[in-house]
Amino acid sequence: MNKLWHAENRMPAKATLEQRIQWHKEHQEHCACREVPKSLLAYIKIKKLK
Ligand SMILES: [Zn+2]
């Protein structure tokens, strides 16, 4: 787990969907200690198709 990245990239308490997607995208690149929730994955795929 990339503790430094997590310390510098806290998920906001009231993160919007866009913020959550962005956070998980960067998280996958820098750490990926946990998977992107399926509910968010669906949104990411939709965005890529557009
Ligand atoms: Zn992580």
Side-chain angles (χ1 to χ4, degrees):
M1 174 176 169
N2 190 339
K3 281 186 180 175
L4 183 64
W5 188 88
H6 273 273
E8 291 177 349
N9 295 274
R10 287 274 176 74
M11 178 83 82
K14 289 179 181 176
T16 64
L17 183 61
E18 284 288 317
Q19 284 175 313
R20 291 177 67 203
I21 290 170
Q22 192 60 39
W23 187 94
H24 277 284
K25 275 184 183 172
E26 287 177 21
H27 182 242
Q28 288 296 97
E29 286 176 23
H30 296 279
C31 174
C33 65
R34 59 192 170 94
E35 291 184 1
V36 181
K38 287 209 171 93
S39 57
L40 272 190
L41 264 183
Y43 281 108
I44 291 169
K45 281 177 185 169
I46 289 165
K47 276 177 72 89
K48 279 181 182 172
L49 287 174
K50 283 179 181 174

